[in-house]
Amino acid sequence: MIDKQKLVKIVGTGMVSDREEDLEKYSSDISFVNRVRPAYVVKPGTAGEVQKLIDLANATKTPLVPVSSGAPHFKGDTVPGNGGSIIVDLSGMKKVEFVDRARRVAMVEPGVTFEELIPLCTKEGLRLNMPLLPRKSKSVTGSILEREPVLMPGYQWDMSDPLACAGLYFGNGEEFRTGQAAGPGTLKDQWKVGAVQKAPYGPGTASLHRLIQGAQGTMGIVTWMSIRCEVLPKMQEPFFSASHDLDQLLDLMSWLIRLRMVTECFILNNTNLAAIFATDMEDYQRIKETLPPYILFYNIAGYDYFPEDRIAAYIKDIAVMNQRIGLDTGKSAGLISADGLLKKIQKPCDEPYWKLCLKGASQDIFFLTIYDHMERQIAAMKEMSEEIGYSPTDLGLYIQPIVQGTGYHCEFNLFYDPYSYTESDRVKDLSNMATKSLMNMGAFFSRPYGDEANWIFNRDAATTDALRRIKKIFDPNHVMNPGKVCF
Amino acid sequence: MALSKEIYRELEDIVGEEFICSDPAIMPSYHGSDLGAVVLPENTVQVQAIVKTCNRYKLQFSAVATGWTGSFKKDIVYIDMRRMNRIIEINEKNMYAVIEPYVITAELQAECFKKGLHFNVKGAGSNCSAMLRGHGHLDQSTSGDDRNHLAIEWVTPEGEIVRSGALGSTDEWFCGDGPGPSIRAILTSAVPPGVTPGVFTKAAIKLYHWAGPPKYDIQGLSPKYTLPEVPKNMMARYYSFPSVEKMWQAEIRLGENEICMELMGFNVSMVAANIATCNEDDERIFKRLNKEKKGPGFFVIIAGNSDNDFAFKKKALEQIVREAEGESMKSLEDPETEGILIAQCTRVTASIRETFRAGGAFSSIPIMSQRDLTIKWAIGAGEAKLPLIKAGHIVDDGGAFFGWGVEQGHVGKTEIFCKFDPANEKAKAAVEKWSKEQGRRAFDESYFALMMGEVSDDIKANMCHYDKWWIALTRAFDPNDVAPQGGPLV
C-alpha cells in the first residue's frame, strides 16, 4: 500500500485521511454495488496537486477514484472497484474563475455546487441548464461529466451540452485542455485577448471532451470546466397539461420542443410530483390523491425584447395545439401550482433530498429511448413491478426530452426503505429484471452504473472493444477508477 | 502500378466487375492521382470486405463521397462511395435522418421540406454530402461542426463495424453517445488531414423544424432563377451598421432573443455574388451596394411558425437593429431579390458563385470558435488583404470578412477569403503569403491556431500536443497503416 507520507507531501497535512470514519463514508453508497473500503481519502486543493497524485498513482500502480460531489451518492461510481484505492475528493476545489454575461459562459472548479454557482449566474443575468432538482451537494462539473439530462432540451444542442471546455489530467498524468481552451498558449494568454473557453470542438479533429463524459472518472481527472449558460428570462409563464393518456402529453411535448416554444419541459407522474413537494408520507398521499396520472410541465420564457409579445404568441399557438390533441392547459395540477414547481426546479433541492424523503432510499433505473417505444417500455415496467410485488402506483416516473427532441431520458424511481431487507431485495431484483427486459425492448442504457454495466456493454462488443483501445492510450496503467464502465 | 491480378480479382468478387477499375487511362481522372484501383461498393458489407482485403495485403485505401479536395498516395485503393446514396429513414417524431455518404444535401433537404423539416447545410453547398461535418448559412438555428451527428456506422481501418451509441445496443439511431464515454470523440468527417481513418457507411443527423414551404416554386432558367412570392411568414433582409461593434451587438441580441432562422454575416461582395448572374453584373452590384451600405452587416431570414410568432420576431428584429443603428438595404427589399435570396440561402445553392466564379479559385481561412474573438482577428486579416486588392492580385471585396453566430450566437464561425485567378502565379503566391502570415498572427496573438494542412511543431506543442493523441488513436485502430491521412472521407 502507498506510504501516507507521500500523499501528505503532495496535498499537505490534514488533507489525507485514513481514519475509519472517513474511509467508511466512501465505502458504499445508496446503490447496490459491493462495499469496498478505500485506503485513503485525499483532498487536493489545486490542479498541480491532482497531477502529482496521478503521477504517484502511476508510479505505484494505485487506483484513484475521483469524487467531486458531496454525499449522498447514488450510483456506485464513487465506491472503489478495488481495495487499496485512493479517493481523490475534489469537493474542496471551489474556485469560480468567472461568469461572463456577454459570452454566456462560466468557469468553475469541480467542487463548485449548483447552490454556489446559481446565485453568481443570476447576478450576471444568466442561468444554468440544470438537471432536475440536484441535491445541494451536487457538483456542477460532476453532473455535466455524467451527462445528466437537463431541463431545457431546446438549449441542449448536443449530448455533451452544457460542457464548453475542460482542463484535465489524463490517467497517464499528462495535462490536456479540450476545445477552444487547448490554446494557443495558457488560459491566461487566452484571457488577455478576450478568449473565454467557450467553443467545445477540437483541438484538431477529435473532440476529446466526449471521452471524459460518461467515463465515471476512468479516463482522467477534470480540474476545471467552462459551462455554457443561458440568458435569464425577463418573464416566465409555466403551465401544466395533465392527462390519463401519456401519448397525448408526449405528442404535445414533442411539438413544444420542435417549435422551440418552451424552456423547461418534462413529464412527471403523480408519484414523483407528489414526492417532490411532500414533507412526509402523509403529505405525499394527500398531494398524490389530487393529481392526474401524468403531468406535463412546460415554461414559456420572454427575453429582453417584447417578452410579453413572445409569451402571448406562444400561449395562443399552444392553445391551438392543445385543441388539436384534446388537452387542457392550466396553472395548477391538484394541489400543486406550476409557478411553485418552476420555483423549485430552478434551484437545487431543499433538504431533505426529495428522493430520500419518502422512504429513505431510491433506486433509479434510467435509459434513453425514442417516442415510438416509450409507452410500451413504461407498460412493461409496470407489469414487472406488479410481478415482483412492488406496487406500480409507487413507481416514480420522469420523462425528459433530450437534445432538442431527438430522444427521451426515461427514469423510474423506486423508493424503498433501505433498512428493510425485504424491500431492498425486492427493489434490487426489480432493478435487475427491468434493466435486462427493457434493453430487449429498445431501451438504451447510455450511462451504465454498477453490475448492470456488464450486461449493457455485453450487448455491444464492437463499441466495448473500441473503448478499451482508447482507454489504453489515456490510462495505460489502469489507475483511474478501475472496475467501472467496461474497464 | 496497378494491383496484382489476385488482389484485383478479390476486390472484383466483392463489388462485381462493373464496379472496379484500374485502367491507367481512367485513374488520373480521380484527383489526378495514380491510384491502384477504384472500387465502388454498394453497401456496408462490401465496404467491410474491401477494407479487410486491404488489411490482408497491407494495401492502403481511402474512401471518398462527394469529395471537395484531396491528395492521395500513389497506388492506394480508392473507395468511391457514390453508389451508397440512400436515404434510409427520415424520422419525424424524433427529428433525425439516417443517410448514406453519397446522399447530397439537395436531395435530403427536398425530402425533409415535404415533412416540415430541414437540417444544417454546409457552406460547401447543396451538392455536397449531407453527412459532412461543418458549418453553413443556417448555423444560427441548426448548429454546426460535429454537433449534428447522432449515431454513426463506422467500418474501422481493420474492417470491424462499430455502431456508435444507441445503434450498437438497440439498433436505433437517435443517440451516438455511450454506453459510457462517447466514441463520437473520434468519429468525425472533418477536412483532411485529420479525418477518422476507416469509412463512415451511415450516419444519423439531427433535423430541425422547417417553417417554410414544402417546395419552392422556382421559376426562370439558369443562371437567372426567381421566386415569384416571398413565402408566408418568412422575411429576408440585409442590415448594415455603422461599426463592427454595433453589428456584433445586434448579432448577439438577435441570438439571445432567438429571432433568426438564418443570420449570415455576408459582406456585400458575397451578397452581390449571390444576386448576380455573371461577373460583370457582380462587379456592378458590388459597387452599388458598397455605396448603399452603412458599414459592416449581415443577412437575416426570419421564419414564423405562425402569424403570431412571425409578428413577434419581426417586431423584435426591427427594434434590435434600430437600437444598433442598423439600416436595411432598400434595394434588397425588392420582393424578387428577397425571394431568391431566401431560396438560395436556405438551399445553399450559391456557394460556387460566392467562391469560384469571380476568380476561378479562392483561398480561405475558416475559424469555428468564439465569435467576438475571431472577429477581432478578422479585422486585421481584412486590412491585410487591401494591398493585394490594390495590386490586382485578388478580386476587390473591400477587404471584407464574413461569419455568423452558431446556436443562437453561443459560438460562431468567422471566415475570410481571397478570390483569385489560379493561373496567375503572382496572385497565387501573394495569397499564399497572406494566408500564412494571417494564420501565424492568429497563433502568435493567441486568437486561435489553424490546424489544416501542414502544422508546425510549435503550434502543436502550444495546442496541448493534440496531434500526439490523434496519432495514438489512429494507430490504435489502424495497426496495419492501411488508412493514410490526407484523403477526404466525405
Side-chain angles (χ1 to χ4, degrees):
Chain A
M1 196 163 77
I2 210 162
D3 176 7
K4 185 177 177 182
Q5 280 315 306
K6 286 185 177 168
L7 297 170
V8 170
K9 205 173 160 193
I10 294 171
V11 293
T13 321
M15 293 297 161
V16 182
S17 175
D18 53 2
R19 291 190 315 166
E20 193 67 28
E21 58 269 35
D22 289 335
L23 301 182
E24 188 57 27
K25 281 183 206 163
Y26 296 89
S27 304
S28 65
D29 64 8
I30 292 172
S31 74
F32 295 116
V33 300
N34 289 335
R35 168 180 288 268
V36 177
R37 219 167 59 160
Y40 299 103
V41 176
V42 296
K43 296 189 172 182
T46 65
E49 290 174 8
V50 170
Q51 185 176 30
K52 285 178 186 163
L53 286 171
I54 297 178
D55 287 344
L56 181 62
N58 274 285
T60 57
K61 307 280 189 293
T62 306
L64 298 179
V65 182
V67 181
S68 48
S69 299
H73 297 282
F74 285 81
K75 303 188 190 89
D77 51 328
T78 57
V79 176
N82 291 359
S85 298
I86 297 173
I87 300 288
V88 182
D89 185 338
L90 304 155
S91 61
M93 292 178 68
K94 285 197 173 289
K95 191 171 179 191
V96 177
E97 194 65 59
F98 58 75
V99 178
D100 185 314
R101 168 63 184 83
R103 282 73 162 245
R104 293 178 260 172
V105 63
M107 183 188 277
V108 299
E109 288 188 334
V112 174
T113 62
F114 284 101
E115 183 162 47
E116 289 157 346
L117 186 56
I118 289 170
L120 300 176
C121 289
T122 308
K123 201 173 144 197
E124 295 296 324
L126 293 172
R127 61 177 165 164
L128 300 171
N129 200 353
M130 291 172 57
L132 176 68
L133 289 165
R135 61 186 191 273
K136 285 202 167 182
S137 57
K138 184 73 192 180
S139 150
V140 180
T141 302
S143 171
I144 295 170
L145 286 175
E146 287 174 53
R147 291 200 305 255
E148 286 193 328
V150 287
L151 296 175
M152 299 189 284
Y155 297 143
Q156 189 186 25
W157 297 80
D158 184 282
M159 186 63 95
S160 62
D161 287 345
L163 194 162
C165 302
L168 64 129
Y169 293 95
F170 286 125
N172 67 354
E174 290 195 45
E175 187 188 6
F176 195 78
R177 298 189 301 269
T178 68
Q180 180 191 352
T186 63
L187 292 182
K188 281 184 182 162
D189 292 335
Q190 295 168 27
W191 292 336
K192 270 185 212 157
V193 290
V196 287
Q197 297 77 45
K198 181 75 186 282
Y201 11 77
T205 299
S207 294
L208 296 185
H209 65 286
R210 300 186 192 283
L211 275 187
I212 55 170
Q213 287 184 294
Q216 300 174 28
T218 57
M219 292 289 178
I221 298 182
V222 170
T223 54
W224 61 261
M225 183 183 283
S226 55
I227 298 150
R228 174 188 287 232
C229 302
E230 303 300 335
V231 176
L232 207 57
K234 282 279 175 291
M235 288 178 68
Q236 300 179 85
E237 275 293 350
F239 293 97
F240 285 130
S241 277
S243 179
H244 285 74
D245 182 355
L246 183 60
D247 189 53
Q248 281 185 312
L249 297 180
L250 289 171
D251 191 7
L252 176 61
M253 183 160 72
S254 71
W255 278 100
L256 295 176
I257 304 297
R258 175 170 169 165
L259 299 178
R260 297 189 180 169
M261 291 172 150
V262 295
T263 51
E264 290 87 346
C265 183
F266 53 87
I267 290 172
L268 296 171
N269 71 351
N270 50 8
T271 301
N272 268 355
L273 187 55
I276 285 168
F277 278 89
T279 49
D280 54 36
M281 193 49 104
E282 201 178 314
D283 196 29
Y284 162 76
Q285 293 294 358
R286 190 176 61 88
I287 296 169
K288 190 175 172 181
E289 277 168 16
T290 68
L291 295 172
Y294 302 110
I295 305 101
L296 164 65
F297 173 81
Y298 61 88
N299 185 30
I300 308 173
Y303 295 99
D304 289 348
Y305 288 83
F306 311 112
E308 301 91 344
D309 290 30
R310 186 176 201 262
I311 289 172
Y314 291 169
I315 287 174
K316 276 186 199 163
D317 290 349
I318 293 169
V320 174
M321 285 157 56
N322 269 323
Q323 211 168 16
R324 175 180 62 78
I325 297 167
L327 278 170
D328 279 333
T329 279
K331 295 295 282 181
S332 64
L335 295 175
I336 308 297
S337 77
D339 291 308
L341 183 57
L342 179 65
K343 211 171 155 191
K344 244 188 196 306
I345 60 169
Q346 290 184 334
K347 58 190 183 69
C349 186
D350 293 328
E351 295 292 347
Y353 185 54
W354 74 277
K355 288 185 183 174
L356 307 182
C357 200
L358 286 188
K359 294 188 134 188
S362 170
Q363 171 72 2
D364 303 335
I365 302 169
F366 49 87
F367 53 88
L368 302 182
T369 188
I370 52 174
Y371 189 103
D372 324 44
H373 300 328
M374 209 177 340
E375 281 206 277
R376 200 163 51 94
Q377 290 159 342
I378 291 168
M381 182 68 196
K382 286 181 180 171
E383 279 172 27
M384 284 183 276
S385 298
E386 187 102 58
E387 192 183 316
I388 225 153
Y390 186 96
S391 170
T393 58
D394 291 342
L395 271 179
L397 174 67
Y398 164 44
I399 299 170
Q400 178 64 65
I402 58 162
V403 193
Q404 298 182 319
T406 50
Y408 295 85
H409 164 90
C410 182
E411 176 173 326
F412 299 106
N413 308 106
L414 280 58
F415 305 108
Y416 70 98
D417 176 0
Y419 298 105
S420 158
Y421 287 119
T422 319
E423 281 196 37
S424 296
D425 287 349
R426 188 181 294 146
V427 164
K428 191 178 176 184
D429 290 347
L430 177 55
S431 177
N432 290 346
M433 182 201 269
T435 304
K436 284 178 183 163
S437 299
L438 291 167
M439 272 198 292
N440 292 330
M441 300 176 73
F444 175 46
F445 289 82
S446 71
R447 301 190 289 134
Y449 294 94
D451 291 342
E452 282 92 339
N454 293 328
W455 315 329
I456 292 160
F457 280 103
N458 279 344
R459 285 183 77 91
D460 186 359
T463 296
T464 305
D465 175 63
L467 286 174
R468 286 179 179 153
R469 290 185 196 210
I470 292 168
K471 162 85 168 173
K472 212 179 269 180
I473 294 167
F474 295 101
D475 181 24
N477 290 320
H478 212 56
V479 295
M480 294 308 309
N481 210 2
K484 307 298 176 190
V485 191
C486 58
F487 309 124
Chain B
M1 184 192 75
L3 299 180
S4 72
K5 279 184 185 168
E6 182 194 8
I7 299 173
Y8 189 91
R9 204 170 300 122
E10 274 197 43
L11 293 171
E12 189 181 65
D13 285 346
I14 295 166
V15 293
E17 63 178 337
E18 279 179 76
F19 300 107
I20 181 166
C21 177
S22 65
D23 185 335
I26 301 291
M27 293 301 93
S29 69
Y30 279 87
H31 306 276
S33 302
D34 195 0
L35 306 171
V38 174
V39 288
L40 293 87
E42 189 189 16
N43 53 42
T44 303
V45 173
Q46 289 188 0
V47 171
Q48 183 182 34
I50 293 164
V51 171
K52 288 206 166 181
T53 304
C54 288
N55 272 273
R56 204 158 45 248
Y57 294 104
K58 304 281 189 290
L59 264 179
Q60 294 195 319
F61 70 87
S62 195
V64 180
T66 49
W68 180 258
T69 59
S71 59
F72 300 91
K73 284 190 177 176
K74 195 168 176 286
D75 296 332
I76 66 160
V77 173
Y78 184 105
I79 307 177
D80 183 341
M81 304 294 282
R82 72 183 60 232
R83 292 173 74 208
M84 294 184 67
N85 58 0
R86 287 158 288 227
I87 297 171
I88 309 293
E89 181 187 4
I90 295 176
N91 190 316
E92 291 179 63
K93 279 283 183 198
N94 302 290
M95 295 174 66
Y96 63 79
V98 183
I99 49 174
E100 291 186 331
Y102 212 86
V103 171
I104 63 166
T105 292
E107 292 169 326
L108 180 62
Q109 202 182 37
E111 295 305 318
C112 286
F113 275 4
K114 292 177 198 166
K115 297 172 188 294
L117 294 163
H118 76 140
F119 61 98
N120 179 257
V121 182
K122 266 55 75 177
S126 54
N127 280 315
C128 289
S129 170
M131 194 192 272
L132 181 66
R133 167 186 181 172
H135 283 264
H137 299 52
L138 294 156
D139 282 6
Q140 179 82 347
S141 61
T142 65
S143 187
D145 212 271
D146 66 345
R147 289 163 64 81
N148 276 306
H149 287 136
L150 300 170
I152 292 174
E153 183 181 80
W154 173 41
V155 176
T156 72
E158 288 181 285
E160 298 304 319
I161 299 177
V162 173
R163 304 166 90 220
S164 69
L167 188 63
S169 297
T170 68
D171 252 359
E172 296 290 353
W173 290 89
F174 70 98
C175 175
D177 303 273
S182 175
I183 58 165
R184 272 180 73 205
I186 60 166
L187 299 186
T188 174
S189 63
V191 177
V195 294
T196 306
V199 189
F200 294 160
T201 44
K202 292 186 195 79
I205 59 168
K206 279 173 71 187
L207 300 179
Y208 298 86
H209 182 71
W210 169 245
K215 188 182 171 207
Y216 286 123
D217 183 21
I218 299 286
Q219 296 185 1
L221 291 170
S222 175
K224 178 70 179 171
Y225 290 119
T226 57
L227 188 65
E229 258 186 358
V230 174
K232 183 172 156 53
N233 290 333
M234 290 182 91
M235 184 178 91
R237 290 288 182 271
Y238 188 91
Y239 296 106
S240 66
F241 298 84
S243 66
V244 169
E245 180 57 27
K246 292 276 183 189
M247 178 191 79
W248 161 243
Q249 286 306 326
E251 188 178 312
I252 277 297
R253 285 174 195 149
L254 289 169
E256 288 180 357
N257 288 273
E258 302 169 20
I259 305 301
C260 302
M261 180 180 76
E262 175 166 330
L263 190 155
M264 174 69 176
F266 280 142
N267 52 60
V268 288
S269 161
M270 296 172 82
V271 179
N274 246 281
I275 301 167
T277 55
C278 62
N279 278 345
E280 292 73 19
D281 217 16
D282 191 342
E283 195 177 351
R284 188 179 54 75
I285 296 172
F286 171 63
K287 282 180 180 160
R288 193 191 77 213
L289 294 179
N290 237 349
K291 281 184 195 156
E292 201 182 327
K293 73 171 188 182
K294 256 187 137 175
F298 51 65
F299 171 77
V300 301
I301 298 175
I302 57 169
N305 297 319
S306 66
D307 294 349
N308 301 320
D309 185 31
F310 181 71
F312 156 71
K313 284 175 175 164
K314 187 167 181 284
K315 187 175 169 185
L317 168 68
E318 287 167 354
Q319 179 66 18
I320 289 167
V321 169
R322 203 164 30 245
E323 282 183 11
E325 298 166 44
E327 272 176 23
S328 168
M329 281 204 177
K330 295 296 171 208
S331 63
L332 301 179
E333 288 184 13
D334 163 51
E336 189 176 297
T337 309
E338 183 185 4
I340 200 61
L341 279 173
I342 286 177
Q344 282 177 184
C345 292
T346 49
R347 300 225 60 184
V348 193
T349 55
S351 296
I352 302 300
R353 296 180 179 194
E354 294 160 15
T355 51
F356 290 103
R357 188 178 60 191
F362 75 105
S363 176
S364 166
I365 306 179
I367 319 116
M368 284 71 78
S369 190
Q370 182 191 321
R371 176 88 168 117
D372 60 321
L373 183 72
T374 52
I375 287 177
K376 268 199 230 171
W377 164 83
I379 292 170
E383 284 165 2
K385 278 205 299 190
L386 296 175
L388 278 71
I389 295 170
K390 202 174 168 191
H393 293 321
I394 62 173
V395 175
D396 184 3
D397 62 2
F401 58 91
F402 66 105
W404 54 85
V406 180
E407 298 175 5
Q408 301 295 4
H410 262 295
V411 278
K413 157 86 186 273
T414 298
E415 185 165 352
I416 182 162
F417 55 59
C418 295
K419 293 179 271 191
F420 64 100
D421 175 1
N424 180 338
E425 288 301 327
K426 273 190 185 166
K428 209 171 159 184
V431 169
E432 272 170 22
K433 184 168 173 276
W434 167 83
S435 183
K436 208 169 172 184
E437 283 173 1
Q438 293 311 308
R440 187 70 211 183
R441 184 173 66 83
F443 174 73
D444 290 341
E445 294 176 11
S446 294
Y447 288 112
F448 59 88
L450 288 175
M451 288 180 237
M452 287 159 67
E454 285 292 311
V455 180
S456 64
D457 288 344
D458 63 331
I459 291 181
K460 289 173 185 167
N462 259 282
M463 299 298 290
C464 289
H465 293 283
Y466 73 97
D467 57 308
K468 187 181 77 178
W469 299 109
W470 183 248
I471 289 166
L473 285 162
T474 52
R475 281 190 186 145
F477 289 96
D478 183 16
N480 293 323
D481 192 27
V482 292
Q485 292 283 303
L489 197 69
V490 170

